[in-house]
Amino acid sequence: RVRGKIVNLAAKFVSEVAAAKPPVTVPARIWPAMKNSPTGPLPLPTGTRSELADALETNRRLREILERQLAEREAVEAERQAWTEERRLLRAMIDHVPDYLFAKDRQSRFLVANKAVAADLGETPGDILGKSDLELHPPALARGFYANEQQVMRTCEPILDHEEYVLLRGEEKRWLSTSKVPLRNDTGAIVGLVGISRDVTLRKLDE
């Protein structure tokens, strides 16, 4: 509304000064509106009708540039908020899954881990990021995990439903059915792996 009022006043002013002799000054009733422009105070136009028209055209182009930049900034912010919400929902999903869900880099260090993985290690998901199994499990177990993960990334072949176990706190043995697949970036290069492990302890005990 304010911008429209300014434009209307400016147009009226141009018509009023059409017959005026230079220099032209801004009437008192127009200056407050120009001073309080949403894009900041507009310069006080003085000079010939041609100079005034040039000044108004410059201001119009500046407003267009500012409005375009504002629209672009709003679009970027909307995209950022959408990405943040998507990330929040994804985090909520993986943390509510009882299975182990995780992603690791080429050195088998955790990039992502859900609450199920962390809880059985006595950690929080954030605590184990950047760590490898050698820092979280007994050496013999950790070396086995590392070997099959490196095989997945080296050969580009997934490991599906591989049965293995972990030792929980108190040396409780938990059997898992684990699948691990290569993780690729946008160019197709392998940058790690994604894994899921399901607790099959009861079935193993029945066997």
Side-chain angles (χ1 to χ4, degrees), residues 168-189:
L168 307 183
R169 290 169 295 172
E171 299 301 305
E172 175 189 353
K173 182 180 288 188
R174 173 170 292 178
W175 283 95
L176 304 168
S177 176
T178 299
S179 296
K180 298 175 181 178
V181 299
L183 175 65
R184 299 178 184 271
N185 63 13
D186 292 340
T187 66

Side-chain angles (χ1 to χ4, degrees), residues 13-79:
F13 176 55
V14 170
S15 65
E16 288 180 354
V17 301
K21 296 180 179 180
V24 176
T25 58
V26 179
R29 67 180 181 279
I30 294 180
W31 174 242
M34 298 183 74
K35 181 180 180 182
N36 298 319
S37 166
T39 57
L42 300 177
L44 179 65
T46 60
T48 66
R49 283 175 293 168
S50 176
E51 291 171 341
L52 175 60
D54 288 344
L56 290 173
E57 176 63 16
T58 298
N59 284 329
R60 183 188 67 79
R61 292 180 179 178
L62 286 174
R63 284 198 299 270
E64 288 180 352
I65 293 171
L66 290 172
E67 289 170 354
R68 184 167 62 252
Q69 290 178 342
L70 179 60
E72 291 172 353
R73 188 177 297 115
E74 289 174 345
V76 169
E77 177 62 18
E79 185 176 350

Side-chain angles (χ1 to χ4, degrees), residues 101-154:
L101 294 175
F102 55 90
K104 295 183 178 182
D105 64 15
R106 287 301 301 259
Q107 287 72 47
S108 291
R109 295 174 299 209
F110 281 97
L111 296 171
V112 178
N114 68 347
K115 286 184 177 180
V117 175
D120 283 349
L121 293 170
E123 306 275 359
T124 67
D127 289 336
I128 65 176
L129 299 186
K131 293 182 179 180
S132 70
D133 288 316
L134 286 169
E135 300 170 82
L136 300 166
H137 295 283
L141 281 178
R143 285 193 292 269
F145 298 152
Y146 181 84
N148 63 35
E149 289 169 0
Q150 292 301 306
Q151 177 184 335
V152 168
M153 292 182 280
R154 184 178 62 255

Side-chain angles (χ1 to χ4, degrees), residues 180-202:
K180 298 175 181 178
V181 299
L183 175 65
R184 299 178 184 271
N185 63 13
D186 292 340
T187 66
I190 293 178
V191 294
L193 59 81
V194 176
I196 179 170
S197 299
R198 174 160 296 176
D199 185 353
V200 293
T201 304
L202 292 179

